[in-house]
Structures are given as C-alpha cells and as structure tokens.
Amino acid sequence: MMGVLAGIEDATGFDLRDCDYYVGTSAGAIVAAHLAAGQSPRRPSSMGSDVEAPATPRPAEGLAAAGLAAARRAGAFALAAAATFAPLALGLAAPGGAVARTLLLRRLPRPKQRLTDLRRNIERLEPRFDGRLRVTAVDRGNGRRVVFGSPGAPRAGVAEAVEASCTVPWLFAPVVIGGREYVDGGVWSPTNLDAAPAGRDTHVLCLNPTASIPASSGVLGVIRSVSRTAVSVEALALRRRGAAVRTLAPNAECAEMMGINFMDREPRGRVLAAGYRQGLAFVTASAPVIRTRPQPSLPRPRP
C-alpha cells in the first residue's frame, strides 16, 4: 500500500496528505494514520535498496513480529477461523450477521499476545482524529462495526484504535476501549469502503490487497473471493451516492512478491518497489481520472 501510494504521488504530483478523508482497516489503518499524521508514503529509496530492510523500526514491524509468533501457536485453528469469518463479509446488511459474528467471536480462544509495539510506534507519529481519519474495528460483544473518528463513535486515541483494527481475533487479545472489547475491522469487511464519507463529486480510491491472493481454493481462495465481492458491493453503494470510485488490487508482479504469508517481513523491500511501479502504471492507465489537484477520499482496505 505504501509503495502504490508513493507511485501515485510521484506520477500525479498530488500530495496524498491533502486528502479530505482516510478510512483504514487493519494494516490499512497504519497507512491511514501515517498520512493523517502528515507522513508521506514510504518509497523504495527510503529503504536503501529494493531488498534491504530499514534499520529504524516501522509501525508495521510490531504487527508482523507478533503475528508470526501468534500464528505459529495458533496453527491450523487460525486457518479454520479465517475460513469461518470470511463469508460473513458477504452479509454486511443481513439482520443475523452481527449475532453470528458475536457467537463466533465468543467461541474463539482469548490469545494473550498484544500489539503493544504497534501502538507505541503509532503514538510516536502523534496522529489525531481531526475529522478526516476513520479507523474501523468490530465490537467483540455485539459483532457490530465501529468507525472510530466518525461522528457519534466512541472516544478513542488513534493509536489504540489502530491497534484494535489490527487485532485479528484468533491471533491477538482484544483491545479494550471505553470498557468495550474491539477486534480487527476486517471481521466486518476486508475494505469497509462504504464507511468513506463520500458524496457527489467525491473521488474515492480503495486499495484492496487481499483481492489478488495467489490461491484458487481453500481458505485463501475464500478470502480472495470475499475481498473482491465485498469491495464491489461497497463501491456500488458509494457510486449511488454520486462518488467516483476506483479500486486497486495488487497486479501480478505485486501478488507474486507478496506471496501468501503477509506476516513475513523478508520480501517487504521487493513488495514496496513492485507497489511503487504499479502506482506509476496505474496513473498512466487512469490519466482521465487521476488528476493533479482533486481532493479524493482515500479509504484503505486490508492487506
């Protein structure tokens, strides 16, 4: 996501820190918090080379390190849980959806691993809910989506909201905010694109990293299918409001570089570089739509 956004910036001259709104889900919440805090998207040159990892820890590193450890402990159960949750994204408006989500969340074990380092790293950026930033999570107690930073949402700091949005329920302990427990916003939808406060003449860009997972069957195939279906339904809802919506999934090169283990930090330099190239190419192919001075909303989906 960082690479793609950097490529789009360099190809258009538009500073993505000037967007009207940001909507972040899971790792996308990290990207959204960076932009809202005034940080430019990371570029391949900032990593020394296409393959060299940075010496300074990044916020995403806490998520990756914790995820690797927790995934090893969770084993096959994590995959089974993923397969159970993924289809729920197709029934966002179903009356029984929240109830089913709640029952499944309560049946999951309560991991002890927390994303403490991630929260601390986000805190160092000093982001604020200034009306532009939205971070999605799911209330573990009732299975409903909460969009922190939106009008009427529970009060929370950006760092704790981002931690909650990244808390995969079968890998990490729920995050308590205001006496309620919250987990990953991806439990509701991989993108939560419909949470963008978009209306007529709004330009919306949605990054959907899980839509190109290289798998045709099994759990990963289900997740890929859900990602594609959910973003299509949510994009249609925004278009009915009069918004111009563009969605972007990893191209073949990015998908190959990303692989299927999103917690693996080793290929991140190559992924960043591939994403940057895709961002440049995306603008070239979308010249009539991507201009240098629009004010697009930037909802961020889940990697």
Side-chain angles (χ1 to χ4, degrees):
M1 288 182 285
M2 285 288 194
V4 166
L5 294 179
I8 289 174
E9 275 198 343
D10 290 351
T12 62
F14 176 68
D15 192 332
L16 289 169
R17 295 172 295 180
D18 293 336
C19 288
D20 292 338
Y21 297 103
Y22 306 95
V23 178
T25 295
S26 196
I30 300 173
V31 177
H34 268 74
L35 294 171
Q39 302 290 316
S40 294
R42 193 161 67 250
R43 286 158 170 76
S45 60
S46 70
M47 301 189 75
S49 72
D50 283 1
V51 298
E52 183 180 353
T56 303
R58 302 282 183 178
E61 292 185 16
L63 173 63
L68 281 171
R72 291 191 184 102
R73 290 196 302 271
F77 180 78
L79 294 179
T84 302
F85 274 96
L88 294 178
L90 297 177
L92 299 182
V99 175
R101 233 176 246 103
T102 301
L103 293 175
L104 287 168
L105 286 169
R106 289 178 178 175
R107 290 181 60 186
L108 290 173
R110 298 179 67 89
K112 295 182 180 180
Q113 181 73 52
R114 296 184 180 277
L115 295 172
T116 305
D117 289 342
L118 172 64
R119 181 189 291 207
R120 290 172 180 168
N121 285 324
I122 294 296
E123 286 174 346
R124 293 190 187 103
L125 300 176
E126 299 183 348
R128 297 181 300 108
F129 282 122
D130 58 0
R132 299 189 304 155
L133 178 62
R134 307 283 199 268
V135 175
T136 67
V138 170
D139 188 318
R140 187 177 183 274
N142 58 29
R144 298 186 180 278
R145 180 177 69 183
V146 173
V147 184
F148 291 106
S150 65
R155 296 187 62 180
V158 174
E160 61 183 347
V162 170
E163 180 187 5
S165 189
C166 292
T167 298
V168 181
W170 54 90
L171 297 181
F172 308 114
V175 175
V176 178
I177 300 175
R180 305 286 299 180
E181 292 184 331
Y182 295 95
V183 296
D184 198 318
V187 172
W188 181 274
S189 162
T191 61
N192 288 289
L193 174 59
D194 62 309
R200 188 165 301 280
D201 298 326
T202 303
H203 292 262
V204 181
L205 174 64
C206 174
L207 306 186
N208 190 14
T210 54
S212 299
I213 297 175
S216 58
S217 61
V219 173
L220 295 178
V222 170
I223 293 175
R224 183 179 66 180
S225 177
V226 167
S227 293
R228 292 176 176 178
T229 304
V231 75
S232 296
V233 173
E234 293 165 358
L236 178 61
L238 291 191
R239 290 186 178 111
R240 287 178 174 174
R241 298 183 207 166
V245 183
R246 296 300 301 266
T247 62
L248 183 59
N251 61 16
E253 180 192 12
C254 286
E256 181 180 357
M257 294 295 179
M258 290 167 62
I260 60 175
N261 182 4
F262 294 163
M263 296 294 187
D264 184 5
R265 291 183 291 172
E266 188 277 328
R268 62 185 175 179
R270 296 189 296 274
V271 173
L272 186 70
Y276 183 79
R277 289 189 288 271
Q278 183 178 1
L280 294 175
F282 175 70
V283 173
T284 300
S286 309
V289 177
I290 304 293
R291 300 184 299 275
T292 57
R293 296 308 307 167
Q295 290 291 321
S297 298
L298 186 63
R300 201 334 280 158
R302 165 188 181 86

